[in-house]
């Protein structure tokens, strides 16, 4: 805990200080009253080992999915390129323009929401 | 073993060092998560997810913040994500958790601090910076870095959060 680093904000009113004291006392009380069980280090070693296996399996699955998707996209692109070159170039153009446009729109929506919240 | 050495070893794939690090910080992490979830079993679940995320990202840990701060940062983001995905379920979990915590504390003849229930009324975007600032003592700058939001937003969220808390607390007392 970083209690010793706590910096008192000078703009806090007396009422606010009372509220904050109530809050910190309540949280301290919760911390002190709850007995949290911490398993032994062997449990954590087993946990890390099991999760490492899961992470590896998930990475392999994701990699497989990525390669399969890339191959599918490449196959479709090549087919369109040889069958309908115009459609191919339209798709390429859209791929360049649409993602940045979506990014800008999403950022504006987020900024707007953030502004409304604060 | 010194923590810095443990971190370096964990980064190189030393399972034992990572397990020791997690064990040392588990209680701090769990108690931190309980303050937001108000539910022991849900907090334990989140703590485990935090450790998994920590395993995946340990190579990115740069030592600027303490290891415990880094862990609670991961835990906070996981909690925020879950609250946003399952808002209704979260409220139910919190209510159920508070009921169980009250019962646990009553059994130990400890008084349940009513302010905690009032704190739960606040949205997580206000509650989290208030607890980080006023209980854990992090600075606005550190909270901004932890929550990945501008420092001004942290200040305004704390300000408006405290305003709402004061209002709710007055209503509760009156």
């Amino acid at each position: 805990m970083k209690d010793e680093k706590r910096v008192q904000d000078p703009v806090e009113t007396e009422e606010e200080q009372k509220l904050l004291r109530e809050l910190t006392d309540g949280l301290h009380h919760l911390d002190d009253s709850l007995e949290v069980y911490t398993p032994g280090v062997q449990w954590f070693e087993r946990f890390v080992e099991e999760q490492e296996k899961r992470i590896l399996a998930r990475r392999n699955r994701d990699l497989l999915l990525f390669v399969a998707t890339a191959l599918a996209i490449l196959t479709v692109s090549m087919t369109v390129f040889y069958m309908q070159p115009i459609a191919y170039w339209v798709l390429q153009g859209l791929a360049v323009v649409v993602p940045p446009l979506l990014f800008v729109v999403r950022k504006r929506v987020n900024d707007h929401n953030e502004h409304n919240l604060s | 073993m010194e923590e810095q050495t443990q971190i370096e070893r964990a980064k190189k794939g030393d399972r034992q060092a990572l397990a020791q690090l997690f064990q040392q910080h588990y209680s701090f992490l769990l108690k931190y998560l309980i303050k937001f979830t108000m539910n022991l079993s849900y907090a334990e679940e989140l703590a485990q997810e935090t450790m998994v995320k920590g395993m995946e990202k340990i190579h990115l840990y740069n030592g600027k913040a303490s290891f415990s701060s880094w862990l609670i940062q991961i835990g906070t983001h996981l909690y925020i994500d879950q609250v946003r995905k399952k808002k209704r379920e979260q409220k139910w979990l919190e209510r159920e958790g508070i009921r169980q915590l009250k019962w646990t504390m009553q059994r130990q003849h400890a008084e349940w601090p009513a302010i905690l229930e009032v704190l739960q009324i606040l949205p997580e975007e206000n509650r989290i910076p208030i607890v980080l600032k006023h209980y854990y003592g992090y600075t606005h700058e550190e909270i901004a870095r932890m929550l990945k939001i501008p420092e001004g937003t942290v200040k305004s969220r704390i300000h408006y959060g405290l305003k709402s808390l004061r209002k709710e607390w007055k209503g509760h007392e009156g």
Side-chain angles (χ1 to χ4, degrees):
Chain A
M1 199 177 307
K2 303 181 64 189
D3 272 350
E4 62 281 0
K5 269 191 74 181
R6 191 178 296 163
V7 183
Q8 203 73 33
D9 193 334
V11 291
E12 283 170 10
T13 62
E14 200 180 313
E15 193 185 6
E16 200 164 84
Q17 279 179 7
K18 199 178 152 214
L19 176 79
L20 287 173
R21 228 179 0 256
E22 191 87 38
L23 178 68
T24 48
D25 287 351
L27 290 169
H28 268 301
H29 188 60
L30 181 70
D31 261 352
D32 297 340
S33 310
L34 277 184
E35 283 167 25
V36 168
Y37 169 71
T38 305
V41 77
Q42 288 84 4
W43 183 89
F44 285 92
E45 279 174 11
R46 268 201 312 278
F47 177 82
V48 169
E49 193 181 345
E50 278 169 25
Q51 295 308 321
E52 270 177 359
K53 282 180 194 161
R54 276 193 195 177
I55 291 168
L56 195 68
R58 202 179 61 212
R59 269 186 203 155
N60 288 341
R61 198 187 56 219
D62 288 350
L63 186 68
L64 202 71
L65 196 72
F66 174 77
V67 172
T69 312
L71 281 175
I73 291 172
L74 200 66
T75 310
V76 170
S77 302
M78 294 312 279
T79 311
V80 174
F81 181 68
Y82 284 110
M83 306 289 280
Q84 284 180 311
I86 295 168
Y88 173 82
W89 289 113
V90 169
L91 276 175
Q92 291 295 310
L94 285 175
V96 171
V97 173
V98 173
L101 212 69
L102 278 177
F103 176 77
V104 171
V105 171
R106 242 175 96 175
K107 198 174 180 302
R108 279 196 186 165
V109 171
N110 284 344
D111 287 349
H112 180 71
N113 290 344
E114 193 75 35
H115 181 72
N116 283 349
L117 283 171
S118 56
Chain B
M1 198 195 307
E2 205 190 313
E3 187 165 284
Q4 200 48 45
T5 322
Q6 278 178 323
I7 293 168
E8 287 312 316
R9 282 178 53 182
K11 276 182 168 180
K12 285 175 188 155
D14 186 329
R15 201 177 286 158
Q16 213 178 1
L18 189 60
Q20 281 169 357
L21 273 170
F22 284 154
Q23 197 207 17
Q24 283 156 18
H25 296 281
Y26 182 75
S27 147
F28 178 80
L29 173 68
L30 188 57
K31 284 189 171 185
Y32 171 80
L33 293 168
I34 289 172
K35 290 185 189 78
F36 298 116
T37 59
M38 286 291 160
N39 186 311
L40 183 60
S41 48
Y42 178 37
E44 280 173 343
E45 205 180 290
L46 260 180
Q48 291 192 13
E49 285 178 38
T50 304
M51 291 192 289
V52 174
K53 206 71 165 172
M55 285 172 66
E56 290 175 320
K57 295 196 179 274
I58 186 83
H59 63 285
L60 297 172
Y61 175 67
N62 55 17
K64 276 185 188 166
S66 66
F67 192 75
S68 55
S69 297
W70 183 70
L71 274 183
I72 63 169
Q73 180 180 357
I74 297 174
T76 307
H77 284 284
L78 284 173
Y79 172 66
I80 293 172
D81 283 350
Q82 294 193 7
V83 168
R84 286 178 186 169
K85 276 183 203 155
K86 308 178 243 181
K87 210 141 204 162
R88 202 175 296 174
E89 197 186 325
Q90 290 287 329
K91 283 288 153 204
W92 182 86
L93 277 171
E94 282 171 15
R95 271 200 304 272
E96 189 59 23
I98 288 177
R99 202 179 59 79
Q100 283 175 6
L101 286 178
K102 271 184 183 174
W103 184 76
T104 310
M105 285 175 84
Q106 271 168 9
R107 249 183 21 165
Q108 294 166 356
H109 305 288
E111 205 185 319
W112 167 256
I115 187 118
L116 299 186
E117 225 161 316
V118 179
L119 181 69
Q120 282 310 100
I121 298 171
L122 298 186
E124 73 287 349
E125 60 203 21
N126 297 104
R127 218 172 348 134
I128 294 169
I130 287 176
V131 173
L132 284 171
K133 168 93 172 70
H134 292 287
Y135 185 69
Y136 287 97
Y138 288 101
T139 62
H140 290 128
E141 192 190 341
E142 287 170 323
I143 300 169
R145 228 181 6 247
M146 284 170 95
L147 301 180
K148 294 179 183 151
I149 52 175
E151 210 179 313
T153 310
V154 172
K155 286 179 187 169
S156 79
R157 284 185 185 183
I158 291 176
H159 176 76
Y160 288 105
L162 285 176
K163 214 169 144 183
S164 308
L165 188 66
R166 196 162 51 227
K167 202 173 139 199
E168 296 287 346
W169 184 234
K170 264 186 183 167
H172 187 272
E173 278 185 323

